[in-house]
Amino acid sequence: IYFKKVAERINACIDPNDQRFILILRDPVLRTYSLYWNMIYEGYESLTFREAINAEESRLNKNHTNTFGNIRFQYKDSSLYAKQIRRFKKICPNASWHFILLEELNSNPIETLNKVFDFLKIDRANIATDKISNKSSMPRSILLQNWLNRNSNTRHFFGRFLPHTLKYKIIDTIKNLNKKKFAYPSIDSDMEKFLREYFIDDIL
């Protein structure tokens, strides 16, 4: 829900009285740190976590996107949930909302999903909850990862002869082959304390 244009498009395409939003809220400190490591994996980030946090404001002034796009350097900003929810509620005032804490989903997935079914007014269903998706990983080759993420004449040339969906399926396949398991280190205690204080007003 970070991008304002998403809410505007939803409001234009879906009856305001039928709009239902389901938000999974993660500890904003852990989400901020996770996003940082995801940007490392994607090949966009070269700074340390502390440096990236300190550079965020200047980066946003240069690269801020408020339409559709990727969240890259908006580490703290994209973890300010209240601000984003207020923006959506202003654009979609008649929508219904259902909030889930990630800890609830992890500790009691069946009950949490049943509440989602009830919110959507659909029949409850049996769902496998033992699969872990989006595991932490790092690229085997940073150079290959960077090449896959940026525009290049070679990619543009071959892309002209391939259907859009097939092109991205090939890229995703190569990325998966280039992926290796990785457990990123625990967040620095000083940085965690700084972020806990930063997010407290938004959390409240």
Side-chain angles (χ1 to χ4, degrees):
I1 62 172
Y2 186 72
F3 298 105
K4 179 181 177 182
K5 286 288 185 180
V6 174
E8 293 174 344
R9 179 166 291 187
I10 289 173
N11 204 46
C13 296
I14 301 176
D15 186 327
N17 296 314
D18 289 334
Q19 296 169 5
R20 294 185 180 91
F21 295 107
I22 301 171
L23 268 66
I24 301 178
L25 303 180
R26 184 180 185 181
D27 179 330
V29 174
L30 300 182
R31 184 205 168 275
T32 299
Y33 193 51
S34 176
L35 176 59
Y36 166 78
W37 282 104
N38 182 251
M39 290 301 98
I40 291 285
Y41 165 75
E42 293 290 347
Y44 296 119
E45 186 59 84
S46 58
L47 302 179
T48 67
F49 182 57
R50 185 184 297 273
E51 290 170 343
I53 292 298
N54 291 337
E56 178 172 342
E57 186 174 346
S58 62
R59 282 172 157 181
L60 291 186
N61 289 335
K62 294 179 180 178
N63 304 298
H64 183 63
T65 302
N66 199 28
T67 53
F68 298 102
N70 293 316
I71 297 175
R72 290 181 181 168
F73 304 126
Q74 298 96 319
Y75 299 116
K76 303 195 308 289
D77 196 56
S78 62
S79 296
L80 293 169
Y81 305 141
K83 181 176 73 171
Q84 299 173 64
I85 293 167
R86 289 192 193 99
R87 182 165 58 229
F88 254 67
K89 283 193 170 186
K90 184 176 181 179
I91 297 171
C92 306
N94 296 322
S96 299
W97 294 77
H98 182 71
F99 296 93
I100 299 171
L101 297 181
L102 183 61
E103 293 82 0
E104 295 174 342
L105 182 61
N106 289 335
S107 63
N108 200 341
I110 299 299
E111 181 180 345
T112 302
L113 290 173
N114 281 335
K115 290 179 180 178
V116 170
F117 296 144
D118 293 342
F119 172 72
L120 295 174
K121 299 180 180 179
I122 60 177
D123 293 335
R124 294 183 176 187
N126 294 322
I127 294 181
T129 60
D130 57 345
K131 182 179 179 180
I132 300 176
S133 301
N134 199 26
K135 295 181 180 179
S136 298
S137 57
M138 287 294 273
R140 300 178 189 277
S141 169
I142 296 294
L143 291 176
L144 176 59
Q145 188 80 352
N146 289 341
W147 182 82
L148 291 170
N149 285 328
R150 71 170 185 263
N151 292 322
S152 68
N153 292 333
T154 305
R155 278 186 55 182
H156 180 70
F157 175 80
F158 286 106
R160 290 185 299 172
F161 304 101
L162 296 173
H164 185 76
T165 54
L166 178 59
K167 178 175 67 174
Y168 283 96
K169 185 175 182 179
I170 292 173
I171 291 174
D172 285 342
T173 299
I174 297 174
K175 281 188 175 182
N176 286 330
L177 291 174
N178 190 40
K179 186 183 296 184
K180 64 180 179 180
K181 292 182 180 180
F182 172 77
Y184 53 74
S186 299
I187 186 172
D188 176 80
S189 58
D190 289 340
M191 288 302 297
E192 180 177 8
K193 180 180 179 182
F194 165 78
L195 291 173
R196 295 265 170 229
E197 294 174 352
Y198 177 85
F199 287 120
I200 187 62
D201 289 339
D202 191 74
I203 292 172
L204 293 175

